[in-house]
Amino acid sequence: MSSQTIPQNTSSNKHFNTPRPRRSILKIILVILATTILLSLITLTISYFLWHRHLDNKLTAEFVRLRANGELITLQDIQAQYTKPINGLNAADYYTPRFDALTVASEIFDTTSPLNPAATQMMMPSLPSADTPQIPFFTETPSEYTRLNLTPPLIVLNDTKTYLASIQEDLSELLNPPIFTGCFYRDTQFQFPLLGPADHLQQIRNTSRHLQLAHWLAVHEKQPNDALQTLTTIRSLANTLENEPFLIGQLVRTSLLSLLNKEAQRAINAHLFNDQQLVQLQTILTPINADSTLIKTLQGERSALFAGINFYANNPIMHHLGLNKKEKLFAIQYYDAIKKDIIASKNTLPNASKLIQQAPFVYIATNTLLPAHKATIKTFHQIEYELTTTQLAIASYRFYLSNRQPPQNLANLTSNHLSINLLNAAGEIDEQITNDYKLRTTSNGLLVYHPGPDNTDNLGNPYNPQGNEQHGLNQTDITAAISYSNANQPILLQLFLKTTQAHLDNLKAEHENDQPDGQE
C-alpha cells in the first residue's frame, strides 16, 4: 500500500501566519496618547480653575475678616479714608501757603537753588559774598553755640534777626493759627509705584527748621513766651501728620517730635519758664503711643504691598500659577504676625521675623518692598521714651522748685506735678512708669532716664565711649537732664565726665569745621 502525500493549502496557511500591520498598533498608541493628553489638559484646566477658585475664596474670606475688623485693604480705601471731608477748617489748607512761602524764602539764601543768589547779599550784607554756600542757621550752628556754652558771634545774631524779620508775616501766621477740626494734605495721591514722600512732608521739615531757628533766638534773648509759642507750633505741625497712613509720614512726625524734645530741653536748662509755663510744656510734650501708631500704619503699608503685588502680577508666570494671590495671603499672614507681636510687646517681632525668612524668593514685591519694621519699632519707642523722660524731668524739676529739694524717687511725684498721661485711674503715678523710668539727683541737678530699646541700664548715660548719643542703644540710655540754675557744672559732666566731654569735643570739632571764614 503506497503512502499518499496530502497537499497543504499554502494560501490558507500563509494568510493564517501573517502578523497584524504595525500601522494598527501605532494607531492604538496614538489614540491612547491623545486621550491621555486630552484628559491631562482637562484635568489641568479643571485644576487651574479649582486652584484659582480656592485662592480667590481664601482671599475673599480674609478680606471679609479684615473689613469686619474695620481695617483698610486697598490704596483706594486709604485714599478715601485720608481725604474724608472735614466739617470745618482743614489745617493743611491753612498751613500749606505758609510752607510754600518759607520754602521760597529759604531757597533765596541757598545759592544752589535756581533763585537769584544776589538776593542773599542784598538782604544780608553781613555775609562775605553772594556765593556763600549756605547761611549758617540752616545747619546746627546756632544751637551748637548753646550746647558748647559759647557766645554766638554778632554776625550770626544779626543775620538770624534779619532773616526772621524778612519772613515775619508768614512766621506770625504759623505761630498764631486758628482752631482746626482736622487735617489732610491735598498733594497726596496714594498710587503705586509713586509712593514716595509727598511735597508737604519736605515742606514741614523745612518749616520746622525755621521754627527751630526762631526758638533758638527766643531762648538766647530770654523770651519765654516766644519760646513756648514756637514749641507749641512745632507740636501742632507734628499733629497734622497724625493720620498719615504710611511709615514715611509717621517717621517725619517722629523727627518733629524729637526736635521738639531737644528744643524743650534747651529751654528748660536756660531756666526760662515759670511753673505755669512748665505745665504747658508738659502738655505739649505728651508722647505718642508707639504701638498704636505702628499698628495704624500697618494697614497703609499692607495696601501698598498689595499694589506692588498687583504690579508684578503682570508677569504671566506669576499670574497663571496664582503666585500673586499666594503672596497676598502671605502678606496678610505677615502683617497679622507683626500686629500680634506688637500687642504682645515682642518688639523684636520674633513671629513676623521667622515668617519673613520663609518667604519664597518668587515673592518679588514682598522681598523688595517691605520696610525694616524692627528698626521702625525702635524709632517709635525711642521718641515715646524721649518725650516721657522729659515730662518726668519737668515734673521732678517742678517738685524741686516748690520744695527746694528734688523728689527721692519718681513715686514721690503727685498729680500736682505730673501730666495726666502719666497718672493711673486713681490719680497717682502709673506703676509701670516707676518701673520703666529712673530718677537720679545730685547737688547740680537731676535727670530721668529710660534704658531704651535694648533694655540695658547704663545709669542714665546718654553717650557711648566715643561721645555719640545712641538713644538707648550701644551702652547708652534715653536721658532728660536738667541742671539747676546755681549748678557748679552741668549734671551730665558731673556724672559722666568722660563720655560727656567726648561728646562736647565732637561738637566742637564739627562746629569749627562748619564755620565759614570770619565767623569762628
Side-chain angles (χ1 to χ4, degrees):
M1 185 173 179
S2 62
S3 62
Q4 296 182 347
T5 303
I6 301 175
Q8 296 181 355
N9 190 341
T10 58
S11 62
S12 173
N13 289 340
K14 183 178 179 180
H15 176 75
F16 179 80
N17 294 326
T18 300
R20 291 184 177 181
R22 292 183 177 179
R23 279 185 310 176
S24 300
I25 297 174
L26 288 174
K27 185 176 181 181
I28 293 171
I29 292 174
L30 289 174
V31 168
I32 293 173
L33 183 61
T35 303
T36 302
I37 292 173
L38 179 62
L39 289 174
S40 297
L41 289 174
I42 293 173
T43 301
L44 284 173
T45 302
I46 294 173
S47 299
Y48 176 86
F49 285 105
L50 287 177
W51 171 242
H52 278 272
R53 183 176 180 180
H54 166 71
L55 294 177
D56 289 338
N57 288 339
K58 289 192 72 173
L59 272 176
T60 300
E62 288 295 333
F63 288 168
V64 168
R65 174 179 68 85
L66 294 173
R67 292 198 186 281
N69 292 334
E71 297 192 30
L72 306 176
I73 297 175
T74 66
L75 287 179
Q76 290 77 14
D77 294 339
I78 300 295
Q79 184 79 36
Q81 178 68 24
Y82 181 79
T83 58
K84 193 174 181 179
I86 294 172
N87 185 21
L89 183 58
N90 178 12
D93 292 342
Y94 178 84
Y95 282 127
T96 300
R98 283 82 191 174
F99 295 163
D100 292 339
L102 292 180
T103 298
V104 172
S106 60
E107 286 182 350
I108 288 175
F109 294 95
D110 183 351
T111 57
T112 63
S113 78
L115 298 177
N116 186 358
T120 306
Q121 184 70 17
M122 205 161 59
M123 291 187 67
M124 304 182 72
S126 58
L127 289 180
S129 65
D131 60 353
T132 300
Q134 200 174 47
I135 54 177
F137 43 74
F138 286 136
T139 67
E140 286 290 306
T141 299
S143 60
E144 287 170 1
Y145 288 111
T146 304
R147 287 187 286 176
L148 291 168
N149 197 28
L150 299 174
T151 300
L154 189 59
I155 183 176
V156 172
L157 283 172
N158 288 341
D159 287 349
T160 299
K161 292 176 183 179
T162 301
Y163 180 72
L164 291 177
S166 73
I167 59 170
Q168 181 57 41
E169 182 178 349
D170 294 302
L171 197 58
S172 178
E173 290 174 345
L174 275 175
L175 296 171
N176 299 281
I179 297 175
F180 308 117
T181 54
C183 181
F184 72 87
Y185 289 92
R186 299 181 188 275
D187 65 326
T188 50
Q189 293 295 323
F190 303 136
Q191 55 188 358
F192 190 89
L194 301 177
L195 287 171
D199 289 343
H200 68 274
L201 297 179
Q202 182 58 42
Q203 288 182 317
I204 287 175
R205 291 175 68 92
N206 177 62
T207 301
S208 71
R209 288 195 291 271
H210 286 80
L211 292 169
Q212 181 184 17
L213 177 64
H215 182 259
W216 172 77
L217 184 62
V219 172
H220 178 77
E221 297 194 331
K222 305 293 183 183
Q223 298 293 328
N225 291 330
D226 291 347
L228 193 60
Q229 195 174 28
T230 57
L231 294 177
T232 301
T233 304
I234 293 173
R235 181 62 195 237
S236 297
L237 294 187
N239 288 347
T240 68
L241 301 175
E242 184 176 356
N243 293 321
E244 289 288 312
F246 300 112
L247 284 177
I248 181 64
Q250 293 298 332
L251 288 172
V252 171
R253 180 186 174 209
T254 60
S255 72
L256 260 67
L257 294 175
S258 182
L259 172 65
L260 169 66
N261 186 66
K262 181 173 69 175
E263 293 299 315
Q265 290 192 22
R266 185 197 318 286
I268 297 166
N269 278 287
H271 308 287
L272 283 188
F273 301 133
N274 59 33
D275 188 69
Q276 183 179 358
Q277 290 167 330
L278 288 172
V279 172
Q280 290 178 260
L281 187 57
Q282 285 177 287
T283 303
I284 294 170
L285 292 168
T286 299
I288 63 171
N289 185 304
D291 291 344
S292 64
T293 299
L294 185 60
I295 287 174
K296 184 166 59 176
T297 63
L298 292 181
Q299 296 180 44
E301 295 297 320
R302 184 179 60 202
S303 70
L305 181 56
F306 283 167
I309 293 171
N310 291 337
F311 179 80
Y312 290 114
N314 292 329
N315 182 316
I317 296 177
M318 294 283 290
H319 173 73
H320 291 303
L321 292 179
L323 292 177
N324 57 321
K325 298 173 183 178
K326 284 280 290 180
E327 189 172 2
K328 285 184 178 179
L329 289 169
F330 179 85
I332 293 171
Q333 185 183 8
Y334 172 72
Y335 278 97
D336 282 349
I338 293 180
K339 185 175 180 179
K340 290 177 181 177
D341 282 341
I342 293 172
I343 293 173
S345 298
K346 298 177 179 179
N347 296 332
T348 58
L349 304 181
N351 296 314
S353 298
K354 181 178 180 181
L355 193 61
I356 202 62
Q357 290 173 358
Q358 301 169 359
F361 72 93
V362 292
Y363 289 175
I364 301 174
T366 299
N367 288 309
T368 57
L369 300 179
L370 277 184
H373 284 116
K374 284 196 287 188
T376 303
I377 287 178
K378 287 181 182 177
T379 300
F380 284 5
H381 280 121
Q382 281 170 341
I383 190 59
E384 181 180 6
Y385 302 149
E386 285 178 12
L387 294 173
T388 304
T389 53
T390 304
Q391 277 193 320
L392 290 167
I394 294 173
S396 302
Y397 183 55
R398 291 180 59 221
F399 184 104
Y400 165 80
L401 292 175
S402 60
N403 295 280
R404 304 315 303 172
Q405 61 180 8
Q408 293 182 348
N409 51 57
L410 294 177
N412 292 146
L413 299 174
T414 68
S415 58
N416 292 330
H417 312 103
L418 293 164
S419 304
I420 191 170
N421 61 288
L422 302 176
L423 301 174
N424 59 23
E428 300 171 343
I429 188 169
D430 192 282
E431 185 177 356
Q432 189 66 46
I433 296 293
T434 58
N435 289 337
D436 294 345
Y437 297 84
K438 306 299 179 186
L439 170 70
R440 293 189 67 182
T441 64
T442 74
S443 59
N444 286 314
L446 57 88
L447 63 81
V448 176
Y449 72 95
H450 185 285
D454 65 5
N455 206 31
T456 301
D457 192 334
N458 297 286
L459 301 178
N461 191 349
Y463 310 118
N464 66 11
Q466 292 73 41
N468 299 318
E469 193 172 10
Q470 297 287 296
H471 305 284
L473 299 171
N474 305 324
Q475 305 178 61
T476 70
D477 293 331
I478 294 174
T479 301
I482 301 177
S483 299
Y484 301 145
S485 58
N486 61 349
N488 295 323
Q489 63 178 150
I491 185 173
L492 289 179
L493 272 174
Q494 179 187 9
L495 293 177
F496 313 108
L497 177 60
K498 289 184 178 180
T499 57
T500 303
Q501 189 59 57
H503 176 71
L504 293 175
D505 290 343
N506 293 342
L507 283 179
K508 185 177 181 181
E510 293 172 7
H511 175 76
E512 291 173 349
N513 290 335
D514 289 342
Q515 293 306 298
D517 293 339
Q519 291 192 21
E520 291 189 29

